[in-house]
Amino acid sequence: MGSLNREILRLALPSIFANLTVPLVGMVDIAVAGHLDSSAAALIGGVSIGSMMFDVLYWNFGFLRAGTGGLTSQAFGREDWTDCVRTLLRGLATALAISLAMIALQRPFCHLFFCFVDCSEEVRNLAVRYFTIRILCSPATMSLMVVRGWFIGMQDTFSSMVTDTVVNVVNIVASIALSVGIPALGIRGMGFEGVATGTVAAQYLGLLVASVIMLFKYSGTFSGRLSRASLKGTFSGGKMHEFFSVNKDLFIRSLCLISVYLGFSAISARFGDVLLASCSIMMKLLMIFSYFSDGFAFAGEALTGRFVGSRDSSGLRRTVRLTFAWSMGIGLLFVGIYSLWGMPMFRLMTEDSAVLDASSAFLPWLVLIPIVGCPAFTWDGIYIGATATRQMRDSNIWCAVSFFAVWFVGRQFLSHEGNVPVHLLFAAYYTHLIVRSLYQTAFYRRAVLSRIS
């Protein structure tokens, strides 16, 4: 195995491991809520809707991680350690400003959210209680996005993995302890509020751990680069303009992606409880694959930025080629997994015979999606590393347009009976991935390779 292959694995494997701890948090939160004394259904609904509120909110600000990672990796390739530090400081300042605005505007956001999400009054009240507690950790959550991106840009996915693992493990332990208490120690639980409070504690502890890692591991990088003159240069000049230009494009990209995922959820909700459950399980199973493919996308991001920064054309081309090889290998592996164990996976998620019968008709869509999704996810990492964000933004605008065009145009020509609308929805989802892949493939030379020509 060549040195670049080893480097890709060194960067990808910690990210994959950290990703695998993510679903455990949601599962434990729901399990804890489901075993409290009050109505389990309402409590589970409150946690689920409350978590969805943060998914909608935080997803829009994913540019903090991506933009910081791309710019830092290029500075790393140039061995410009001052710019590495300044990129981190710009990101943290932006994260703090956004998080304070989120706290200040939480009430209008809640009102706006529930204009689009329909649920019982009890679930709504629980979700708002969950939200108003968890929003207090937004400064830590936003800052952690920046720190994760900075670690990836510094070619250090191990530190990012340590931080993520601490956050997720503490989240699980704290949510259980704060909700149900620790009878052996005479500590009474907080009930439902303990679930959200555990998340707040975990986020701030994770930020503390990340700060300690940076203090000791990167003391040399920070040494002499936090002077008044250096800090003044952080928030002025062309680099500041570049930072906001990159993040503006990534923000628009996030809006396009979330419109697709929210559109998928909203449309699937019209099909009735059985088909909605089937679509929801399909997306959960897809997430398993994405946890692996994202690891190689992060590796591609880090190495692409590094080789763009060092003006190494050969290294960049090899990174793209090998990252795609690893990513497509994972895709083929999951095609086999979903083919052999797709229905057993469905049975692990539900025992409802109606949902299982409906799901069997849609299984081919699940089986093939790793091959369709791999190029889109891999190109994302490469384009972020090259900070080719304008073309990335445009590809996602077109992919969102294609998703809704296929759905709305298809509905005019296809029968509304049976499972046809559901198949059309999956076809629209596939189309948005294919359009992303084709667009970024077509612009690869102009957008990525031109960065070092």
Side-chain angles (χ1 to χ4, degrees):
M1 183 182 293
S3 59
L4 188 54
N5 274 314
R6 287 194 293 271
E7 190 70 359
I8 290 172
L9 288 177
R10 182 187 70 81
L11 293 168
L13 292 179
S15 296
I16 292 171
F17 177 81
N19 285 344
L20 291 176
T21 65
V22 173
L24 295 176
V25 176
M27 291 168 62
V28 169
D29 283 352
I30 290 176
V32 170
H35 287 84
L36 294 174
D37 294 336
S38 303
S39 170
L43 292 174
I44 291 173
V47 170
S48 299
I49 297 297
S51 298
M52 185 191 302
M53 295 170 75
F54 284 100
D55 290 341
V56 171
L57 199 57
Y58 289 153
W59 204 349
N60 289 312
F61 300 109
F63 66 82
L64 288 170
R65 189 215 63 77
T68 302
L71 292 169
T72 301
S73 62
Q74 291 184 24
F76 182 93
R78 297 192 303 270
E79 298 185 3
D80 185 348
W81 312 123
T82 298
D83 197 33
C84 287
V85 173
R86 288 178 172 177
T87 299
L88 173 64
L89 295 176
R90 292 184 194 108
L92 290 175
T94 305
L96 181 60
I98 291 172
S99 61
L100 293 177
M102 287 166 57
I103 293 173
L105 298 174
Q106 58 181 288
R107 286 185 179 275
F109 174 78
C110 288
H111 288 303
L112 180 63
F113 180 85
F114 286 107
C115 288
F116 297 94
V117 176
D118 188 25
C119 59
S120 69
E121 189 66 24
E122 184 180 8
V123 168
R124 175 174 177 163
N125 290 336
L126 288 167
V128 171
R129 282 164 58 191
Y130 178 91
F131 182 85
T132 54
I133 295 172
R134 188 172 159 185
I135 194 68
L136 297 176
C137 72
S138 57
T141 303
M142 295 288 104
S143 297
L144 281 171
M145 288 184 184
V146 173
V147 171
R148 289 185 187 103
W150 193 77
F151 281 145
I152 291 171
M154 296 295 287
Q155 319 293 297
D156 182 15
T157 55
F158 180 81
S159 293
S160 180
M161 177 198 72
V162 170
T163 302
D164 288 345
T165 303
V166 167
V167 168
N168 293 330
V169 170
V170 171
N171 197 339
I172 290 170
V173 175
S175 293
I176 295 173
L178 293 173
S179 298
V180 302
I182 308 176
L185 299 177
I187 299 175
R188 297 181 60 185
M190 300 169 61
F192 178 77
E193 285 78 4
V195 178
T197 306
T199 301
V200 173
Q203 293 291 317
Y204 280 106
L205 183 59
L207 183 60
L208 176 62
V209 168
S211 301
V212 170
I213 290 173
M214 287 191 290
L215 179 63
F216 288 95
K217 193 170 186 176
Y218 294 99
S219 58
T221 303
F222 290 106
S223 179
R225 296 185 174 91
L226 295 177
S227 63
R228 179 177 299 179
S230 181
L231 291 175
K232 183 179 179 181
T234 298
F235 301 103
S236 62
K239 287 293 184 179
M240 192 68 178
H241 178 268
E242 180 187 23
F243 178 84
F244 281 109
S245 177
V246 165
N247 285 312
K248 176 197 69 177
D249 291 336
L250 290 172
F251 177 69
I252 296 172
R253 173 226 181 201
S254 296
L255 291 177
C256 292
L257 286 179
I258 200 169
S259 72
V260 171
Y261 293 121
L262 289 178
F264 184 95
S265 300
I267 293 170
S268 63
R270 301 177 182 177
F271 298 147
D273 291 346
V274 171
L275 293 180
L276 172 59
S278 179
C279 291
S280 299
I281 293 173
M282 288 271 277
M283 294 306 291
K284 292 294 184 185
L285 295 180
L286 170 63
M287 293 301 292
I288 299 174
F289 154 69
S290 71
Y291 294 140
F292 286 84
S293 62
D294 278 352
F296 289 100
F298 290 159
E301 173 187 332
L303 290 170
T304 295
R306 171 178 157 188
F307 289 129
V308 166
S310 62
R311 319 289 291 182
D312 185 345
S313 175
S314 175
L316 174 59
R317 292 173 186 271
R318 288 182 62 225
T319 291
V320 174
R321 187 167 60 251
L322 292 176
T323 302
F324 263 97
W326 281 104
S327 182
M328 293 303 292
I330 290 293
L332 289 172
L333 174 64
F334 271 87
V335 166
I337 290 173
Y338 290 149
S339 298
L340 294 173
W341 296 297
M343 286 311 298
M345 287 180 174
F346 273 100
R347 293 189 186 96
L348 285 175
M349 304 286 282
T350 181
E351 296 179 354
D352 189 306
S353 59
V355 175
L356 292 173
D357 289 342
S359 300
S360 63
F362 310 127
L363 188 60
W365 293 107
L366 177 65
V367 169
L368 294 177
I369 204 166
I371 295 300
V372 177
C374 260
F377 301 152
T378 306
W379 276 130
D380 279 355
I382 291 165
Y383 270 68
I384 289 171
T387 58
T389 53
R390 182 171 62 84
Q391 292 83 0
M392 192 177 189
R393 175 202 66 197
D394 293 345
S395 74
N396 282 275
I397 291 173
W398 283 111
C399 86
V401 169
S402 67
F403 171 83
F404 290 104
V406 168
W407 170 253
F408 286 113
V409 173
R411 288 284 285 175
Q412 302 304 312
F413 295 99
L414 295 177
S415 169
H416 294 184
E417 298 177 1
N419 291 331
V420 171
V422 188
H423 286 295
L424 178 62
L425 178 59
F426 285 123
Y429 190 82
Y430 265 55
T431 301
H432 107 277
L433 291 172
I434 292 170
V435 167
R436 275 168 64 187
S437 300
L438 292 178
Y439 191 102
Q440 293 183 8
T441 300
F443 280 86
Y444 164 60
R445 291 182 180 278
R446 187 187 307 179
V448 177
L449 292 183
S450 64
R451 305 287 291 181
I452 55 177
S453 61

